Amino acid sequence: MVEGSIVTIGVVFGAMFLGLILGVPIAIGQVYGKPFLRKIIAVYVWFFRGIPLLVLLFLFYFGFLPLLGLNLPAFTVASIVLGLISSAYQSQIFRGAILSLPEGQLKAARALGMSDFSAICNIILPQALRLSIPGWSNEYSIILKDSAVTYALGVPEIMARTHFVATRTYEHLILYATAGLLYLILTFAGTKALRILEEKVRIPGYATR
Amino acid sequence: MNEWIYIQNAVVPALWKGLVVSIELIVPSAIMGLLLGIVVGTLRVYGSVFLRLLSDGYVVLFRGVPLLVQLFTWYFGLPHIGIFLSPFSASVLGFTLCSAAYHSEYVRGALLSIKRGQIMAAQSLGFSTLDTLRYIVLPQAIRRALPGCGNEIIYLIKYSSLAYMITCIELTGQAKALASQSFKYLEIFLIVGFIYLVLVSIASWLLNKLENALVIPGFELYKS
């Protein structure tokens, strides 16, 4: 089960990272993009937020990826699917953070001769990303728990190992309670780490709330 | 053309049966989860110290443990202490307890957002604590909690697919069975994904309607 935790952490980190690098441009596109781009993004977000994880896992693992001739291991598919879903959710967290910044800042940056791109990168994002950390720690605990579902593809994470041991020893109750405890510890550790990060990157004198 | 006949004869009836089971799972879980969530949320704010500790512990536990682990515990774990649940009732139990924990969090937030002065005013008018809650605080708080609770119900619709993992054959379960027979994973899961999208869209539309129908003029949440 400890080995399983490492696999779980691997899946979660892969997904969070993919969600982050996709979520930021999606959020920027949704706030500042052209109407056509916004439409596409809205459909993307609607798609990945509206379909259950389990269905998406099956769809990608047995459907899309083999069709494209890709035969990826379950671990990779799990990270990708969780990452895509997470990018849809994370984009909404970032969008909220971007929208919470006063509009005047962007105008001021433009007036100082910054290009749109550099204004977003240098003025908006550093603030918005800091504001997003609380939402991000929520997202972490959701992905962590959702990662249990990847057991359906046979990813050898906590849940799969627990079930495997349980079916051999018939100690279901105790083993699942232990698995639950492991998840509680991982959730607690992760949110604590993000809380510390939040303190670390805070700009002195710049109260977020 | 063959595929079309296959879809008509095999896929549609099976998925329809699955959809009915899914809805039978979702509706009671959503209603009982919401009611339990309101009770737990209220206890967490107004209960005695002991009840508060108890309900806080419940929420930490059920929000911190993955729903799948909870379902497995109810289905595979409870028989060890002599309680045997069918896959269906284990799913409903798991969904209800889990979503109640999340609902209680929204209800708690909404209760805390009601100004204290209102409670004092009610007490000075001779309301008992229970009456104050029932007539003054909860009617406002529930309206404020509704957007959050609505989100939770939408999550529940999607998480209902997990019932398949404890062999309760609902929409996803039927789809998996069909797909492993015919190897038409892509088509069948696209259809199922679309059905879930429709369910979620209908639910969010209904919740929006409900929110608008319950608005008290002059007490709108968002002034537009």
Side-chain angles (χ1 to χ4, degrees):
Chain A
M1 278 166 80
V2 175
E3 266 175 65
S5 317
I6 295 168
V7 177
T8 294
I9 293 171
V11 171
V12 171
F13 272 64
M16 290 294 285
F17 182 69
L18 184 64
L20 178 66
I21 54 175
L22 287 178
V24 172
I26 290 173
I28 293 171
Q30 203 172 7
V31 178
Y32 301 114
K34 294 190 172 69
F36 177 67
L37 185 65
R38 273 188 237 178
K39 265 257 153 59
I40 295 178
I41 291 173
V43 172
Y44 174 87
V45 172
W46 175 71
F47 184 83
F48 281 104
R49 293 209 304 178
I51 297 181
L53 169 61
L54 191 58
V55 175
L56 282 174
L57 282 174
F58 285 145
L59 190 60
F60 275 76
Y61 191 55
F62 297 116
F64 274 140
L65 296 175
L67 189 78
L68 297 172
L70 291 168
N71 253 324
L72 298 174
F75 176 86
T76 318
V77 176
S79 303
I80 291 175
V81 172
L82 275 171
L84 288 175
I85 294 176
S86 182
S87 74
Y89 281 99
Q90 287 189 33
S91 74
Q92 299 308 298
I93 298 173
F94 298 137
R95 189 172 71 105
I98 292 173
L99 288 177
S100 76
L101 297 173
E103 223 183 310
Q105 292 195 7
L106 194 65
K107 284 183 189 150
R110 296 287 289 132
L112 289 171
M114 285 182 163
S115 68
D116 270 338
F117 181 75
S118 93
I120 290 171
C121 285
N122 296 318
I123 307 287
I124 304 292
L125 277 186
Q127 301 178 64
L129 288 182
R130 283 184 173 83
L131 281 174
S132 311
I133 296 177
W136 223 61
S137 86
N138 256 343
E139 182 59 20
Y140 163 76
S141 76
I142 292 172
I143 298 184
L144 178 66
K145 283 178 279 164
D146 277 354
S147 75
V149 179
T150 62
Y151 154 66
L153 296 188
V155 180
E157 41 68 79
I158 298 178
M159 204 49 208
R161 309 238 175 183
T162 311
H163 193 60
F164 179 67
V165 178
T167 43
R168 281 194 308 181
T169 58
Y170 292 104
E171 290 291 350
H172 292 96
L173 200 54
I174 294 171
L175 284 167
Y176 289 130
T178 318
L181 194 69
L182 264 179
Y183 279 108
L184 275 177
I185 294 170
L186 284 178
T187 310
F188 187 74
T191 45
K192 198 85 197 167
L194 283 170
R195 180 63 59 81
I196 293 169
L197 177 73
E198 196 183 335
E199 292 290 315
K200 271 262 160 63
V201 298
R202 203 169 55 200
I203 307 167
Y206 193 86
T208 45
R209 226 148 270 265
Chain B
M1 230 43 241
N2 243 336
E3 296 206 340
W4 192 239
I5 294 167
Y6 172 71
I7 287 181
Q8 271 193 332
N9 292 341
V11 176
V12 172
L15 290 187
W16 177 253
K17 238 171 46 194
L19 180 61
V20 172
V21 177
S22 278
I23 291 174
E24 282 171 356
L25 279 172
I26 293 164
V27 172
S29 310
I31 294 171
M32 290 193 296
L34 185 59
L35 292 179
L36 185 62
I38 292 173
V39 174
V40 174
T42 313
L43 283 182
R44 289 180 70 194
V45 180
Y46 296 107
S48 63
V49 178
F50 173 70
L51 281 175
R52 249 183 253 185
L53 270 178
L54 200 70
S55 47
D56 279 350
Y58 161 78
V59 173
V60 168
L61 198 63
F62 281 81
R63 286 182 58 197
V65 175
L67 180 56
L68 191 61
V69 177
Q70 295 176 28
L71 289 176
F72 272 49
T73 309
W74 302 136
Y75 186 59
F76 295 112
L78 281 188
H80 283 270
I81 50 171
I83 302 170
F84 291 87
L85 292 174
S86 69
F88 181 82
S89 34
S91 307
V92 172
L93 177 70
F95 294 151
T96 304
L97 289 177
C98 183
S99 67
Y102 283 93
H103 281 310
S104 83
E105 198 67 0
Y106 296 117
V107 172
R108 190 178 69 101
L111 283 173
L112 290 176
S113 77
I114 307 288
K115 291 198 180 64
R116 281 205 63 79
Q118 294 196 14
I119 299 167
M120 291 178 196
Q123 272 166 352
S124 70
L125 287 171
F127 279 72
S128 69
T129 311
L130 209 64
D131 278 347
T132 314
L133 273 178
R134 186 161 139 36
Y135 294 108
I136 310 286
V137 180
L138 275 179
Q140 301 177 64
I142 289 173
R143 284 181 172 83
R144 285 191 192 178
L146 203 59
C149 291
N151 257 343
E152 189 45 41
I153 288 172
I154 290 186
Y155 271 110
L156 181 67
I157 294 176
K158 292 190 289 162
Y159 279 127
S160 73
S161 64
L162 294 187
Y164 149 70
M165 304 281 283
I166 55 168
T167 68
C168 179
I169 302 303
E170 36 66 79
L171 190 53
T172 311
Q174 292 281 8
K176 187 76 187 8
L178 277 174
S180 20
Q181 263 173 22
S182 62
F183 294 104
K184 293 189 191 309
Y185 278 95
L186 185 65
E187 295 86 338
I188 289 171
F189 279 108
L190 270 180
I191 297 173
V192 169
F194 184 72
I195 296 175
Y196 277 109
L197 275 176
V198 170
L199 279 182
V200 165
S201 306
I202 292 176
S204 61
W205 180 77
L206 279 178
L207 286 163
N208 238 328
K209 280 255 149 165
L210 181 67
E211 226 175 280
N212 288 335
L214 287 179
V215 161
I216 309 169
F219 276 86
E220 289 91 351
L221 277 181
Y222 311 104
K223 302 216 166 59
S224 49

